[in-house]
């Protein structure tokens, strides 16, 4: 297995990415190789500074970087030798089995859809995040930013994607899927939620348990929370602030520690033909390591093949 990592992506790249790669390497098995994509000379220098042999990695040298503020589609086209563009070229060619980056999220989405493309039958790919549970364990929230506007059939597909992800990667048996809404009653919500509820209620594709409100997010009754990307991104950013606030207030609590994004590595893009993970722009070495390990788990679990079968 070859796992591609963009070492030029992220606010603290390339150093944080390379240090994260070193930590990931220690966990990977002998038949799992990390392919570092970016400025080879700088990367080798960081490895040597940390007493790590470059022989432990493969390198693909690139000369361009897509910045965080660049227009995703233009950047992918105009910078073919950027680390993100080259990463997707390798993924499309089958030279790597997964690709991850803490760089420009839009470029990662566009790159995935241009190169490996969306799985036939999937209308829109979705991005996920982890929701910590009060009594331990976790839930999956999607979409968290890939699709600000959605139609009812797309939300139903998110239910399928989230359910398969929870089952396959996190071993959650028969995941309970809920629709995020402003009330539990069937008729509640905006036009999107009102139109989506009956479709989810009728489907046999996943275990639908009804509407849930924002206050139910961290309780035990649900495994997969479905919403449009606008709502999901607002929830994600608010939840991320919990950890920051507890640190600033010097509150030590195991539950709020689990809101630390570093533990989860990044957000997979579900619904494309290969494992792709997008990391947080402020990713630390710990976050990069976990992003790589999530990529590996997605390959090992054959998640993409299971999604393809579900959408045949």
């Amino acid at each position: 297995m070859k796992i591609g990592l963009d070492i030029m992506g992220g606010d603290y790249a390339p150093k944080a990415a390379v240090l994260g790669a070193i930590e990931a390497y220690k966990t990977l098995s002998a038949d799992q190789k990390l392919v570092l994509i970016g400025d080879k000379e700088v990367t080798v220098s960081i490895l040597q500074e940390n007493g790590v042999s470059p022989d432990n990695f493969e390198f693909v040298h690139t000369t361009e970087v897509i910045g965080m503020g660049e227009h995703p589609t233009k950047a992918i086209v105009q910078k073919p030798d950027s680390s993100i563009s080259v990463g997707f070229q390798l993924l499309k060619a089958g030279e790597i089995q997964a690709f991850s980056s803490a760089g420009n999220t839009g470029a990662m989405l566009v790159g995935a859809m241009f190169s490996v493309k969306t799985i036939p039958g999937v209308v829109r790919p979705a991005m996920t995040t982890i929701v910590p549970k009060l009594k331990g364990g976790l839930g999956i929230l999607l979409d968290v930013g890939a699709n600000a506007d959605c139609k009812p059939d797309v939300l139903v597909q998110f239910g399928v994607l989230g359910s398969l992800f929870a089952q396959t990667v996190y071993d959650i048996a028969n995941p309970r899927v809920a629709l995020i809404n402003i009330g539990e009653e069937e008729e509640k919500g905006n036009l999107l939620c009102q139109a989506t509820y009956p479709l989810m209620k009728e489907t046999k594709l996943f275990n639908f348990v009804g509407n849930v409100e924002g206050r139910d997010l961290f309780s035990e009754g649900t495994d997969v929370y479905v919403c449009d990307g606008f709502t999901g991104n607002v929830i994600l950013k608010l939840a991320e602030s919990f950890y920051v606030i507890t640190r600033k207030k010097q509150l030590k609590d195991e539950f709020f520690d689990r809101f630390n994004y570093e533990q989860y590595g990044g957000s997979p893009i579900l619904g494309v033909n290969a494992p792709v993970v997008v990391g947080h722009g402020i990713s630390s070495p710990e976050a990069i390591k976990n992003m790589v390990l999530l990529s590996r788990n997605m390959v090992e679990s054959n998640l993409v093949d299971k999604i393809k079968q579900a959408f045949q």
Side-chain angles (χ1 to χ4, degrees):
M1 185 197 303
K2 291 188 178 182
I3 303 166
L5 173 64
D6 168 20
I7 52 163
M8 309 308 288
D11 294 351
Y12 307 117
K15 188 168 185 179
V18 178
L19 294 178
I22 293 169
E23 293 306 309
Y25 163 76
K26 295 173 184 175
T27 307
L28 298 174
S29 60
D31 61 344
Q32 296 167 343
K33 197 85 172 176
L34 254 178
V35 180
L36 306 183
I37 303 160
D39 189 319
K40 182 178 178 180
E41 190 178 326
V42 172
T43 305
V44 169
S45 172
I46 296 169
L47 289 171
Q48 290 172 339
E49 283 171 16
N50 288 274
V52 177
S53 170
D55 295 340
N56 295 324
F57 304 91
E58 289 187 17
F59 301 90
V60 176
H61 182 68
T62 63
T63 59
E64 296 175 307
V65 178
I66 293 176
M68 289 300 205
E70 291 191 58
H71 187 282
T73 309
K74 286 180 182 175
I76 287 283
V77 173
Q78 293 171 0
K79 291 186 171 180
D81 199 44
S82 65
S83 48
I84 288 178
S85 297
V86 171
F88 280 116
Q89 290 163 28
L90 296 170
L91 191 63
K92 183 181 179 182
E95 293 178 38
I96 55 177
Q97 280 68 60
F99 179 50
S100 56
S101 170
N104 185 307
T105 301
M108 288 294 287
L109 276 164
V110 169
M113 294 177 75
F114 275 12
S115 61
V116 292
K117 296 187 167 46
T118 307
I119 289 169
V122 175
V123 180
R124 303 294 296 270
M127 293 177 66
T128 76
T129 195
I130 297 298
V131 178
K133 298 291 191 177
L134 269 167
K135 295 182 181 176
L138 53 85
I140 309 293
L141 172 68
L142 76 167
D143 177 35
V144 294
N147 309 276
D149 296 295
C150 294
K151 293 183 177 178
D153 59 330
V154 172
L155 290 191
V156 174
Q157 289 199 348
F158 290 171
V160 178
L161 293 171
S163 182
L164 285 168
F165 183 57
Q167 253 177 301
T168 306
V169 176
Y170 290 103
D171 297 319
I172 299 172
N174 194 26
R176 297 158 297 178
V177 180
L179 179 64
I180 290 184
N181 208 329
I182 58 170
E184 294 181 1
E185 298 84 3
E186 190 169 336
E187 68 280 357
K188 279 291 179 74
N190 57 13
L191 293 174
L192 175 61
C193 289
Q194 289 175 25
T196 302
Y197 190 102
L199 298 180
M200 287 190 166
K201 188 178 178 182
E202 291 163 16
T203 190
K204 300 287 190 287
L205 297 171
F206 51 80
N207 175 20
F208 181 55
V209 295
N211 288 327
V212 293
E213 299 175 68
R215 62 185 172 187
D216 303 315
L217 207 59
F218 311 112
S219 59
E220 305 307 310
T222 306
D223 302 301
V224 177
Y225 303 88
V226 175
C227 59
D228 61 83
F230 183 92
T231 304
N233 195 267
V234 170
I235 293 171
L236 169 64
K237 298 290 169 60
L238 176 64
E240 282 181 349
S241 75
F242 295 169
Y243 176 70
V244 177
I245 291 166
T246 56
R247 296 298 294 266
K248 284 181 177 175
K249 292 285 188 181
Q250 298 182 323
L251 300 172
K252 192 67 182 162
D253 185 276
E254 182 273 337
F255 173 65
F256 288 111
D257 286 347
R258 288 191 282 127
F259 281 81
N260 182 1
Y261 76 94
E262 293 179 335
Q263 294 183 31
Y264 309 111
S267 297
I269 301 175
L270 300 183
V272 294
N273 281 295
V276 177
V277 182
V278 183
H280 208 300
I282 57 169
S283 285
S284 62
E286 177 72 9
I288 298 289
K289 177 193 83 171
N290 287 322
M291 183 168 69
V292 170
L293 298 181
L294 175 57
S295 301
R296 177 201 58 188
N297 294 346
M298 290 172 70
V299 176
E300 285 185 330
S301 64
N302 293 316
L303 174 64
V304 171
D305 287 338
K306 288 170 184 173
I307 293 173
K308 286 179 183 176
Q309 289 167 16
F311 282 89
Q312 279 180 347

